[in-house]
Amino acid sequence: MWAQVHNALADLMAADCPAAPVQHQKDQLQVFHGLATFYLKYLQIFRSLEVMYDQLVHPQKRRIVRQVLDGVMGRLLELKNEMVELELSEFHYFDDVLQDLKMTPQDLEIPIPRYFLREKMQVLREREKMLAHILAKGGLTKQNPNKSVQTMCLEEAVGILHVCERARQGRLRAKFMKEIRQAQREVLAKFRAAHSTTTPDQAAILIQKVWRGYSQRKRTERERLEELIFLGMVPAVQPSPSPTQLKARQVETGRRLVQEQNEAEYQKALLSVKDSIWDVEGPDMRETLQEQIRQWFIECRDATGKFPDFPNPEDGGSALIFAQKTPEQVALELAAREAEKQKKKKKNENNDAKKEKNGGKTRKIEKKIKQLKAKEKDDVEDEEAGWKMAPSNFIPTVMEGDKMYRDVWQGRDERQNLLQRCDLQLVREEKRQEVEEEVRVQVDELMRQELKNLRLAVDRNRGDKKKKPKGNKKKKKSKKSTKKKKKKAKDPTADRSIESLYEELILQGLLIQPMNIKLSDYIGEFSYLGTTLRQAHIEPMPSLSDVRQLIALYGVLPLGSQSVHERAPAVKSLLLAGPSGVGKKMLVHALCSETGANLFNLSPGNLAGKYPGRAGLQYLLHLVLKVARQLQPSVIWIEDAEKTFYKKVPKTDKEMEPRRLKKDLFKVVKALRPEDRVLLVGTSRRPFDADIKSLCKVYRKIILLPRPDYASRLVLWRELLLRSGAEPGPRLDLSSLAKVTDGYTQGHILTAVRQVLSGWRLAGLRAAPLTAAEFVPPLARLEPVFKEEEEAFKMWCSRTPLGRRRARAARAAEEEADQGKREDKKGAGPRRSKEDKSTTKRKPH
């Protein structure tokens, strides 16, 4: 698998980074097709690398695979950003590209690397223990929302008692009537046994008839169920784990232990090998370096007549010396430069003389030069009008990892290393370079002092002159540094530990424990009509599968990997907008649970009455940002994000002061640096109530969560019934349920399933299978999402910055098409008119 991945990666890199420069492309469809092809191929490689990194146990191999894996992840984010800038939309549809590459919609799913959680499992467990201890200490055992106690009047209480009493009497009467009917049946059975007149042959025929009918009905039902399962209309019954699956789980746990053991052995080898190299090879390295530097001093003295300047540590020290050319080569280059300068002077003198003689000719030549320059500018503008891929920050990383694989591991014989332990020879080569760098730093300090002594002894006058400006420069630098220190703001929590700040946020309810939800639990199907609708100039609503992919790309991958977050296109804030019940809160918790991130709840309702005043708000934001940076990755969640940017605060919300964060929220987002794995996530069910300009200024990325389509509803019904313990049989028409629930959200469907599948109903499934009619009453009591609300979300998205850019691009394309049609009519109009006159005379009508 490793060899196949690198072969595919080499072909892909050759196409992604061609040797010849690529010209600007103007055909948008062709450009998008190329980007989508690269995206899908990188996604296939990403999936294979993730499996390899999870299954390899060799510690040095895992590091190379990890480097390539992070590079491919970052390249995926870059390609996604290019597609967004090209199509001016967050959602893309790959139907035709999937057909060309012979891929399925399942291949579009973004795999979440398992090392995001596995490598910091111990930290997460300690955090959970600390959180439970703080909650128990503060008397907050659970962080569920406060459930208000329902109060009722006396008439309602009496009515409930009447209903319960009638139900009790009804149950007693039903029990009494059941006993009477049972006694009657027993009497009737005794009477029939005493007065039976059937012969044994007749009794056998009756028994055969009943049995054959029963067995045939069972066989027909089983065959029908098998056919439905084969056609995919009914899910297959999932049996208990097979012995093979149990064995695979045992192998996986054993592999985890081997990975940990080999990693611990590798870390010990790093320390022991480095110490041995210091003891054995360190003195020889020091002597050879000193001899080389002294020889360089002498050569420079002989070539230039003075001792050279020793390079600064920031420039690399003595490593820069041996990367440069010899003193003889430097002298030759200086002589060549002087000769070129003299030639240029002679040419300029000759040109001046010619200009004085031929003044008129030079003016004409200058005009021609200006015309040529104007043409070149027009050509450059035409090239810029096309599209060209931006330079990548991750392709060099991928190429470096691929080179390391081919140089070190491709032809390496690993037959003797069956346990896949670390290779000490590679460790020694790696540590030898580190020891050489450390020795070089020490030698540089000694040789700088030796160079000063040589200058004092040989070039004393020059040395004194050079010392004075150096001292002045140092003083100036010190003044600048003091000025910078004065500008730094004071830390109000400098005397407190992170643990105390963490405890304060938990007790205030601002840092909550995320629910254990996976991103795959957000059930949704792929949209098969996206490309077709866009070709018909109809903007389709995104599918739930597209939403799941965007959350993985913009949230999970950058928060999970530090190297990806630092160099990928920055996504500091994210807004999830959609009607109530489409899963916004679920996605926030899934984002935290997939990456092990802390969840800070700064919703307006949660901040009401906490840290009052301007000073309190500043202290709160400083507290949250400090803890979020120290314990990254972190997610800052703002529920009902539109309330922060209300145009006019309603009377019902004035007490909570929803606009407290309006002025400071943009500063918080701006203060986030590339190395801070902190993401601001807002959720909104009514974004059109907010000031769109200030809202979009804070939330750069906006994801619209739609209501589920037919395919997603069908999968949702099936999965929710299976997870509730009810297997949908052939009598349950899921297709009709999916059709009837058009407009209902995932929350509505989940509510209906929970109301119908109570404990007693699950117990009686064998006797009375589920029917679709049982779910109609609970659904009828819920209010669906109507088309007007969906159109309101569409209109709001068209007013966002990205939506406006898309509308402007569409208008520009229409104007260009209209202008082209007009030019065609003007150019071909007269000729066509003569031909039309000649043809119209021949036509009878």
Side-chain angles (χ1 to χ4, degrees):
M1 185 184 287
W2 200 8
Q4 290 174 0
V5 163
H6 277 276
N7 290 334
L9 196 59
D11 298 337
L12 188 57
M13 297 297 290
D16 197 3
C17 301
V22 181
Q23 297 180 353
H24 291 263
Q25 301 179 8
K26 295 183 179 180
D27 188 357
Q28 184 174 350
L29 293 176
Q30 185 179 359
V31 171
F32 177 75
H33 191 276
L35 287 174
T37 304
F38 283 142
Y39 177 81
L40 292 175
K41 288 184 177 179
Y42 273 115
L43 189 56
Q44 283 183 313
I45 293 174
F46 173 38
R47 189 174 288 107
S48 301
L49 286 170
E50 197 278 326
V51 174
M52 287 161 47
Y53 186 75
D54 182 64
Q55 295 191 3
L56 282 173
V57 297
H58 197 292
Q60 291 156 305
K61 292 180 182 178
R62 282 170 59 85
R63 275 161 173 75
I64 296 178
V65 174
R66 171 72 175 273
Q67 179 181 351
V68 181
L69 177 62
D70 290 343
V72 171
M73 271 195 288
R75 186 58 183 153
L76 275 176
L77 297 180
E78 288 179 340
L79 290 172
K80 178 65 179 179
N81 187 57
E82 291 286 344
M83 288 189 286
V84 170
E85 293 297 325
L86 180 68
E87 288 204 324
L88 301 177
S89 174
E90 299 289 349
F91 300 96
H92 312 290
Y93 303 98
F94 307 101
D95 308 351
D96 49 350
V97 186
L98 287 174
Q99 291 178 2
D100 294 342
L101 298 178
K102 303 295 186 294
M103 297 171 67
T104 62
Q106 284 72 24
D107 295 327
L108 277 174
E109 293 296 327
I110 309 295
I112 297 173
R114 282 161 276 192
Y115 78 85
F116 285 175
L117 293 177
R118 188 165 292 127
E119 291 186 356
K120 54 182 179 182
M121 190 62 69
Q122 186 176 359
V123 176
L124 294 177
R125 288 173 182 169
E126 292 177 357
R127 189 187 300 170
E128 287 181 1
K129 291 180 181 178
M130 184 177 177
L131 184 62
H133 175 71
I134 293 171
L135 291 174
K137 180 180 177 182
L140 305 171
T141 54
K142 292 183 180 180
Q143 290 192 346
N144 293 330
N146 296 326
K147 297 181 180 179
S148 58
V149 179
Q150 295 182 357
T151 58
M152 63 180 68
C153 60
L154 182 61
E155 295 178 355
E156 292 178 356
V158 172
I160 291 174
L161 291 175
H162 284 169
V163 170
C164 294
E165 179 61 23
R166 292 193 193 102
R168 186 187 67 83
Q169 292 178 4
R171 286 193 295 271
L172 290 174
R173 183 173 179 79
K175 184 179 179 181
F176 179 67
M177 294 302 296
K178 184 179 180 180
E179 292 175 354
I180 292 175
R181 290 195 191 93
Q182 187 67 25
Q184 290 177 353
R185 287 172 187 167
E186 290 177 358
V187 172
L188 185 61
K190 290 179 182 179
F191 177 79
R192 287 177 178 175
H195 298 84
S196 62
T197 56
T198 56
T199 62
D201 293 337
Q202 292 174 343
I205 291 171
L206 289 173
I207 293 172
Q208 288 177 358
K209 187 188 295 184
V210 172
W211 169 249
R212 286 177 179 174
Y214 173 78
S215 62
Q216 185 60 41
R217 285 192 298 273
K218 286 292 184 182
R219 189 182 301 112
T220 304
E221 185 178 356
R222 185 172 63 252
E223 291 175 356
R224 181 173 180 271
L225 182 61
E226 290 175 357
E227 184 178 2
L228 292 175
I229 291 173
F230 176 74
L231 295 175
M233 299 178 68
V234 174
V237 179
Q238 298 179 354
S240 57
S242 63
T244 307
Q245 292 175 334
L246 295 175
K247 181 66 176 177
R249 293 176 185 175
Q250 293 177 0
V251 170
E252 184 178 2
T253 55
R255 184 169 63 244
R256 301 281 174 265
L257 294 174
V258 174
Q259 285 177 352
E260 293 176 1
Q261 292 172 1
N262 290 354
E263 181 65 25
E265 183 181 356
Y266 176 68
Q267 295 296 335
K268 290 179 181 178
L270 291 177
L271 298 175
S272 60
V273 169
K274 186 175 180 179
D275 293 340
S276 65
I277 292 174
W278 262 109
D279 297 337
V280 178
E281 301 180 16
D284 296 336
M285 289 181 184
R286 188 179 291 106
E287 290 179 3
T288 53
L289 282 174
Q290 287 177 351
E291 290 176 1
Q292 289 175 358
I293 295 172
R294 288 193 185 102
Q295 184 66 26
W296 180 70
F297 290 164
I298 296 169
E299 290 177 359
C300 289
R301 170 75 177 178
D302 295 339
T304 60
K306 61 180 181 179
F307 287 111
D309 294 330
F310 205 90
N312 295 322
E314 295 83 9
D315 299 331
S318 60
L320 187 65
I321 297 172
F322 304 108
Q324 294 176 349
K325 298 179 180 179
T326 60
E328 296 176 355
Q329 293 175 345
V330 173
L332 290 173
E333 286 181 359
L334 291 172
R337 286 177 186 174
E338 289 179 358
E340 287 179 0
K341 287 180 181 178
Q342 291 177 359
K343 287 181 181 179
K344 287 181 180 179
K345 286 181 180 179
K346 291 180 180 179
K347 286 182 180 179
N348 292 330
E349 290 175 358
N350 294 329
N351 290 332
D352 293 337
K354 289 179 181 179
K355 283 180 182 179
E356 290 177 359
K357 293 179 181 179
N358 303 323
K361 292 181 180 179
T362 54
R363 291 173 185 174
K364 293 180 181 179
I365 292 169
E366 287 176 356
K367 288 182 180 179
K368 289 182 180 179
I369 291 170
K370 288 181 180 179
Q371 291 175 359
L372 290 173
K373 287 182 178 180
K375 288 182 180 179
E376 288 178 358
K377 286 182 179 179
D378 295 337
D379 295 338
V380 170
E381 288 178 358
D382 293 338
E383 286 182 0
E384 290 178 354
W387 178 90
K388 190 176 182 181
M389 188 178 295
S392 173
N393 295 328
F394 293 93
I395 286 179
T397 304
V398 177
M399 295 178 72
E400 183 183 355
D402 182 66
K403 185 177 182 302
M404 291 176 65
Y405 162 76
R406 298 187 185 281
D407 294 344
V408 179
W409 296 105
Q410 187 175 16
R412 202 175 191 85
D413 188 5
E414 288 283 308
R415 288 177 294 181
Q416 301 299 325
N417 190 12
L418 296 178
L419 298 178
Q420 291 293 289
R421 292 179 176 174
C422 64
D423 194 326
L424 294 178
Q425 181 181 355
L426 294 177
V427 175
R428 189 169 285 106
E429 292 175 0
E430 178 184 355
K431 288 299 171 183
R432 186 178 287 111
Q433 295 179 357
E434 291 184 10
V435 171
E436 186 175 353
E437 290 177 0
E438 294 176 3
V439 170
R440 188 182 297 277
V441 172
Q442 296 178 1
V443 171
D444 287 353
E445 293 178 359
L446 295 174
M447 298 310 293
R448 282 192 187 92
Q449 187 63 37
E450 186 173 339
L451 182 60
K452 287 181 181 179
N453 296 333
L454 287 171
R455 281 178 174 172
L456 288 173
V458 181
D459 302 331
R460 184 168 299 175
N461 296 329
R462 293 180 183 176
D464 294 336
K465 290 179 182 178
K466 289 180 181 178
K467 282 182 183 178
K468 291 179 181 178
K470 286 184 181 179
N472 295 332
K473 287 181 181 177
K474 286 182 180 179
K475 289 180 181 178
K476 289 180 182 177
K477 288 182 182 178
S478 63
K479 288 180 181 179
K480 290 181 182 178
S481 61
T482 52
K483 287 182 181 179
K484 289 182 180 178
K485 287 181 181 178
K486 289 178 182 178
K487 291 181 181 178
K488 289 184 179 179
K490 294 182 180 180
D491 186 1
T493 58
D495 56 342
R496 297 182 58 184
S497 63
I498 293 295
E499 288 77 10
S500 65
L501 302 179
Y502 188 78
E503 181 178 359
E504 180 180 349
L505 289 172
I506 291 174
L507 295 177
Q508 290 291 335
L510 300 174
L511 198 156
I512 62 176
Q513 185 175 9
M515 294 183 287
N516 189 13
I517 298 173
K518 294 183 178 180
L519 192 59
S520 58
D521 294 337
Y522 187 76
I523 303 168
E525 190 55 64
F526 177 75
S527 176
Y528 295 91
L529 296 176
T531 305
T532 306
L533 292 174
R534 275 197 174 174
Q535 289 175 355
H537 303 288
I538 300 173
E539 184 61 25
M541 288 296 287
S543 66
L544 302 186
S545 175
D546 298 329
V547 173
R548 191 167 57 241
Q549 293 171 29
L550 285 184
I551 294 297
L553 286 171
Y554 291 155
V556 177
L557 297 186
L559 285 179
S561 175
Q562 181 70 33
S563 62
V564 172
H565 189 276
E566 288 179 356
R567 294 179 290 165
V571 179
K572 297 181 180 180
S573 55
L574 199 63
L575 179 66
L576 307 180
S580 179
V582 293
K584 300 183 291 296
K585 184 178 178 181
M586 176 184 179
L587 288 173
V588 173
H589 286 271
L591 180 60
C592 296
S593 61
E594 291 284 9
T595 58
N598 295 290
L599 183 58
F600 298 86
N601 187 1
L602 297 186
S603 305
N606 195 32
L607 289 180
K610 299 175 182 177
Y611 298 96
R614 182 69 181 170
L617 182 62
Q618 293 291 335
Y619 175 78
L620 166 65
L621 293 177
H622 170 78
L623 194 65
V624 170
L625 279 178
K626 185 174 181 179
V627 176
R629 283 169 173 162
Q630 290 289 332
L631 303 177
Q632 54 183 316
S634 300
V635 173
I636 301 174
W637 174 38
I638 298 180
E639 191 178 11
D640 297 329
E642 75 278 358
K643 293 183 178 180
T644 309
F645 303 97
Y646 265 149
K647 299 176 184 176
K648 185 179 180 181
V649 181
K651 294 181 179 179
T652 55
D653 295 339
K654 280 187 177 180
E655 294 182 358
M656 69 172 67
E657 298 180 6
R659 294 197 294 186
R660 287 182 68 194
L661 291 173
K662 183 177 180 180
K663 294 182 180 179
D664 297 309
L665 207 54
F666 178 71
K667 296 178 182 178
V668 170
V669 176
K670 194 176 180 180
L672 296 177
R673 296 163 295 185
E675 59 269 16
D676 297 333
R677 282 188 292 164
V678 181
L679 181 66
L680 175 67
V681 181
T683 57
S684 175
R685 52 186 173 180
R686 293 189 61 84
F688 25 80
D689 292 344
D691 180 17
I692 190 168
K693 185 177 180 180
S694 54
L695 181 69
C696 295
K697 189 178 179 181
V698 173
Y699 299 101
R700 296 290 184 178
K701 289 289 183 181
I702 298 173
I703 300 178
L704 177 62
L705 274 66
R707 58 183 186 177
D709 54 3
Y710 171 79
S712 296
R713 292 195 301 273
L714 183 63
V715 176
L716 195 63
W717 275 108
R718 185 181 301 155
E719 290 295 327
L720 290 179
L721 289 173
L722 285 173
R723 293 181 184 184
S724 300
E727 296 178 2
R731 295 185 182 181
L732 180 60
D733 192 357
L734 291 179
S735 179
S736 297
L737 273 178
K739 188 69 178 176
V740 167
T741 51
D742 185 13
Y744 287 90
T745 63
Q746 301 95 309
H748 293 149
I749 296 174
L750 181 62
T751 302
V753 170
R754 287 176 176 173
Q755 288 182 5
V756 171
L757 294 179
S758 57
W760 65 270
R761 187 65 186 89
L762 287 172
L765 284 177
R766 291 186 179 180
L770 279 174
T771 59
E774 297 181 53
F775 296 95
V776 174
L779 286 171
R781 290 190 289 268
L782 301 173
E783 186 176 359
V785 178
F786 296 100
K787 284 188 176 181
E788 291 78 8
E789 186 175 356
E790 187 172 324
E791 290 296 327
F793 276 100
K794 278 187 176 182
M795 288 296 296
W796 180 81
C797 284
S798 65
R799 291 166 51 207
T800 58
L802 193 63
R804 289 179 179 177
R805 288 174 59 192
R806 183 176 177 81
R808 284 196 298 267
R811 285 196 298 270
E814 289 178 1
E815 289 175 0
E816 288 180 1
D818 294 340
Q819 188 176 359
K821 289 179 181 178
R822 291 171 187 169
E823 291 176 356
D824 292 340
K825 287 180 181 179
K826 288 179 182 179
R831 296 179 183 176
R832 291 178 183 173
S833 62
K834 292 179 181 178
E835 294 173 359
D836 293 339
K837 287 180 181 179
S838 61
T839 53
T840 50
K841 292 179 181 178
R842 297 175 185 175
K843 290 182 180 180
H845 53 87

